[in-house]
Each structure stands twice: as C-alpha cells, then as structure tokens.
Amino acid sequence: MNKQIFKSDLLGEEYTVATLQNGLKIYVMEKQNFDSVYAVFGTKYGSIDNCFSLNDGEYISVPNGIAHFLEHKLFESEDGDAFTKYSKTGAYANAFTSFDKTCYLFSCSSLFDENLDILLDFVQSPYFTAETVKKEQGIIGQEIRMYDDSPAWCVLFNALECMYHNHPVKVDIAGTVESIAQIDDKLLYECYNTFYNPANMFICIAGNVNSDSVIEKISNSIKPCEKITINRKKVDEPKTIVKDYIEKSLPVAVPLFCLGYKQIIDKEEPSLRESIAVNLLLKLIIGESSPCYKKLTDMGLINDEFDTEYFTGRGFAAILFEGESNEPKRVAEEIKAEIKRLSNEGIDSQLFEAVKRDSFGDTIKRYDNVNNITMMFVDAAVSNYNIFDEIEVLKDITLDEVLSYLSVFDDSRAVLSVIKPKEN
C-alpha cells in the first residue's frame, strides 16, 4: 500500500490518499468536529464508455445506457436489496451515473462501520438474472420516457445533439428504450467485471472518522482481483457542429433555452487550471455582478433561473448558458455581443479581482460541508489531481490568462436549443 498525506496551510486542512496494491484509491479527510460522515464508492465508468477493450484485446461495443442499468441492478442481491439494509441503520443512501462515472453513496451520523460494510458488500457482489434484468428494462423504460418529457433534460440533450456528430455524450445517460432492450445478464457481468475492477475504482470519505482505521478496514474488505488495463476507443469527432438551432414544444409556461459553444480539445479533457479559468470568465461575462447580467435582468430577458456551466469530461468540452426567457434568440444574441465586446475592450480589473475573491471564498466554504468535500474527492479521483490545487490556482491566476480563453467562443461552433410552450 502507498499512502500520501496532502496538507494546505492556507486552509488548515489535510487528507490522506491510500493506493492499494490492486490499484484502488482511497481518499479520506478527517473532520472530527462534525457529526456526520459522507462516503462514496465509485468507478470511472459512465454512459460514454460504450466501446472498449480489455488488456489490449479486441474492442467490443455495448448498448447505450448499460452503465446506468448496471447501477440500478447492483443494489439487488440474493439476500435483499441494499436500500432495505440502509433503512435499518438510518443512513441516507443513493447512487448516480454520469457521463464518465458511477457512484454509490451514503451519509450517516451513527453506525458508520455498519454502513460502510453494506456499501463495500453490495458494490462488490453483483447478482443478475435474466428474469430480474427483464423486469428492470420495464422500470428504466418508464424512467427514459419520463426524461423525454422533462423540459430541462430535453433542452440540454437537444443542444448536445446539435454539437456532436459521433461522441456518445450526445446520448441520454439512461440510453433509449430500444438500446436497453438489448441488455442481458451476460452483458451486465461483462461490463461489471471490466469497469468494477479496483484499479478503475475509488472510495472517498469525509467526516468524523479516523483515516488509518478506515483505510485498514477497506483494505481488508476488498475482494482479491487481478489488475487489468481498460482501453476506451477514441471517438472520431469532427470540429464542426451538426446544426446551430433546434426547438421542441413541451408543456412549459416560459420557453427554456441552452446556448452552447462546442470546444475543440486536443487531450483527454481540460485541466483543472483551464476549468477554473473558464468558470471565472463565465462569471465575468454574465455572472450576477457583471454588467451584462444586470442589463438582461433589467430588460426582463432572463431571471434567477439563468445559469452557466463549463461542461467537460473525457473527450468533450462545451460552454453552456441556460435559463428561461420569452425571447431566447435575443438572449443568445446579447450574450454573443457581450463576448465580442469583451474581446475588443477587455475586462475591468476591479471586476476581475471581485469575482476572483468571490470564487476564492466559495471554495473555502466548501470545506465546511462533508458532502462537498467528498464530491471534490470524486472529481479529483476521476481527473487525477490534488483538491488543494484549486485554491492555489485561484491565488495566482491572472486576468490576462482568463482573457485568453475568450478565443473558445467561436460562433461557428455555437448552437441554440429552445423548448417552446406547447400550444393549447
């Protein structure tokens, strides 16, 4: 076992990362003055992992939605489901699948060891049969149809479909009714045995625990498993977008919009520093303290539902502006005009310092919440960085560096997705 301790004198915090011989990484931050604990057992396996090879073997393709399907099924076992066990301990438990990871989690204020035992047991004990898979297909099929009618979900995925020709990020995380119909118990076991190998997994914990005790307990509970190498097939994604506009009608009171800029990346994913720079830039363009935000709210073009996101992951990156407006096309034009203005005139240095201080303060506040700390660990485990790097980047990043990212706003790669109110 390799154990490292990371410290931040500025924050007065430290955490431990232990890497077991089988490759599993364990992140633990002790917060002895807190009453609760938050824990995540995750794998670097998400909806975009639909074509892969094992130990340099042949590539195999699997149906879209299988990572999410596997997440649902893993809670079941021959001796009852994990949710029933957690209900007896009083812990909150949940799970989620994203584009590049699947996570199983619990939070509790007592019986931590018992709750951790449940987590370690069911994530390492798959139980699939043809009958239970068929039953789950009906359940997830209903979930897919529900999201098909969700305006917020549709406005995002319609934008992604406009941006991406081939990358699976454009496909709903749950797949389609047709794709999940192709899933069987054998495929689930094949994906489980590939992506739920400890070398591809991580455990993240923050709260009232002892690091050494937790790491020892986990080390003794991980089942023996041969280390493997997973090769994900690189997607041939053109630099161009598919189309620049799409609209759909759904029962909404006010139109929803998503203005997106497809970013061309020449590596697996943007670095932490790049992400911080772009997020600062978004606040400068149309954050709550920006001139553009004030202008658009005063004009009644946007409201407090408006938000921005630097949407990144393995092999994809996009900048999103989302909200609701009676004039979505005008909002898009106003944002584009503001980006051009800032490119020509620059950004006020005082506004930059204010936004930077605000981001610095928000980052420090995250360490007052064990849920936030654990999810920071999850991001660090997937993208392989030290969570204290964020505060260090914010300390020394410059306005010129942030301004250099205005070049990613290329109108030839901009798309607008709109959900209009359904007539009658």
Side-chain angles (χ1 to χ4, degrees):
M1 180 195 301
N2 176 42
K3 193 182 291 187
Q4 292 177 283
I5 296 176
F6 296 89
K7 296 183 179 182
S8 169
D9 293 333
L10 178 64
L11 295 167
E13 302 280 5
E14 69 174 54
Y15 68 94
T16 303
V17 179
T19 305
L20 305 187
Q21 284 188 336
N22 57 22
L24 177 73
K25 283 196 170 183
I26 307 166
Y27 296 70
V28 186
M29 179 179 284
E30 297 182 10
K31 301 288 282 186
Q32 301 293 357
N33 57 330
F34 282 62
D35 294 329
S36 60
V37 183
Y38 197 85
V40 171
F41 197 171
T43 174
K44 300 174 192 177
Y45 175 45
S47 63
I48 64 174
D49 296 311
N50 58 6
C51 188
F52 56 89
S53 71
L54 192 60
N55 296 330
D56 297 321
E58 291 185 7
Y59 282 102
I60 66 164
S61 296
V62 294
N64 288 321
I66 196 166
H68 172 260
F69 201 106
L70 183 50
E71 172 222 311
H72 273 236
K73 293 302 301 169
L74 206 54
F75 278 92
E76 298 178 9
S77 65
E78 289 184 273
D79 62 344
D81 69 87
F83 283 119
T84 301
K85 296 174 182 177
Y86 278 124
S87 68
K88 294 176 181 177
T89 65
Y92 165 79
N94 210 338
F96 66 87
T97 302
S98 70
F99 297 101
D100 56 6
K101 59 184 171 290
T102 305
C103 294
Y104 304 85
L105 58 94
F106 74 83
S107 63
C108 65
S109 55
S110 62
L111 302 177
F112 168 73
D113 284 343
E114 290 87 338
N115 288 312
L116 182 58
D117 284 338
I118 296 170
L119 182 67
L120 294 170
D121 178 54
F122 84 83
V123 174
Q124 296 185 90
S125 306
Y127 174 69
F128 316 128
T129 66
E131 292 75 21
T132 60
V133 169
K134 187 174 182 179
K135 179 182 176 183
E136 197 67 38
Q137 285 168 337
I139 295 170
I140 295 180
Q142 290 179 332
E143 183 180 330
I144 291 170
R145 284 185 281 269
M146 179 184 71
Y147 278 107
D148 284 343
D149 294 328
S150 168
W153 198 250
C154 285
V155 77
L156 169 62
F157 276 93
N158 285 353
L160 295 177
E161 285 186 9
C162 286
M163 284 188 219
Y164 293 96
H165 296 259
N166 303 319
H167 200 287
V169 71
K170 70 177 184 174
V171 181
D172 192 307
I173 291 169
T176 64
V177 173
E178 293 74 23
S179 69
I180 65 168
Q182 303 169 40
I183 296 172
D184 59 25
D185 52 323
K186 296 180 181 63
L187 266 179
L188 287 176
Y189 275 115
E190 183 166 13
C191 290
Y192 177 89
N193 291 330
T194 299
F195 292 101
Y196 283 70
N197 184 283
N200 192 54
M201 301 186 77
F202 50 86
I203 295 178
C204 306
I205 298 171
N208 190 0
V209 296
N210 177 273
S211 298
D212 291 337
S213 299
V214 167
I215 292 168
E216 183 180 3
K217 179 180 180 65
I218 294 171
S219 179
N220 293 333
S221 302
I222 297 298
K223 296 179 180 178
C225 197
E226 186 178 339
K227 214 170 180 179
I228 61 171
T229 301
I230 302 168
N231 301 299
R232 296 163 170 91
K233 190 170 185 178
K234 189 175 180 181
V235 179
D236 181 18
E237 176 59 42
K239 294 181 179 181
T240 59
I241 58 173
V242 178
K243 57 183 177 179
D244 61 9
Y245 184 75
I246 187 171
E247 67 178 39
K248 183 177 181 179
S249 296
L250 286 172
V252 294
V254 180
L256 273 65
F257 68 87
C258 177
L259 170 65
Y261 285 84
K262 180 180 180 180
Q263 184 183 350
I264 305 304
I265 56 174
D266 55 4
K267 49 192 169 185
E268 191 166 84
E269 64 181 292
S271 67
L272 176 66
R273 192 175 190 91
E274 289 173 299
S275 295
I276 290 171
V278 172
N279 280 308
L280 285 172
L281 183 55
L282 288 174
K283 290 182 179 181
L284 292 166
I285 294 169
I286 195 166
E288 290 185 6
S289 57
S290 70
C292 186
Y293 184 86
K294 185 178 187 307
K295 175 186 175 182
L296 297 189
T297 51
D298 288 348
M299 294 169 68
L301 289 175
I302 60 173
N303 54 29
D304 57 10
E305 293 297 315
F306 181 81
D307 202 4
T308 61
E309 180 183 359
Y310 190 32
F311 177 79
T312 66
R314 199 181 326 112
F316 64 89
I319 297 168
L320 307 178
F321 302 86
E322 300 175 277
E324 54 184 37
S325 175
N326 285 311
E327 298 183 67
K329 289 184 179 180
R330 181 157 178 210
V331 172
E333 291 309 313
E334 291 285 350
I335 293 172
K336 290 178 181 181
E338 178 67 2
I339 292 167
K340 286 184 174 64
R341 185 187 74 81
L342 295 175
S343 297
N344 293 328
E345 301 177 12
I347 293 174
D348 178 64
S349 59
Q350 289 185 325
L351 176 60
F352 171 70
E353 291 301 328
V355 166
K356 187 174 167 180
R357 284 195 302 271
D358 184 58
S359 298
F360 197 86
D362 287 344
T363 301
I364 291 174
K365 287 177 187 175
R366 292 168 72 186
Y367 288 89
D368 290 331
N369 183 292
V370 294
N371 300 32
N372 290 340
I373 295 167
T374 305
M375 294 314 298
M376 284 193 286
F377 280 152
V378 170
D379 291 339
V382 172
S383 299
N384 193 29
Y385 61 81
N386 172 357
I387 63 170
F388 296 148
D389 288 346
E390 183 173 359
I391 208 79
E392 295 301 323
V393 171
L394 282 169
K395 273 173 59 181
D396 63 26
I397 199 165
T398 65
L399 176 56
D400 286 342
E401 184 177 352
V402 172
L403 282 173
S404 70
Y405 286 92
L406 280 168
S407 61
V408 304
F409 293 97
D410 184 340
D411 285 350
S412 70
R413 294 197 292 270
V415 306
L416 179 62
S417 167
V418 176
I419 300 296
K420 300 193 306 182
K422 207 167 190 175
E423 292 184 10
N424 301 322

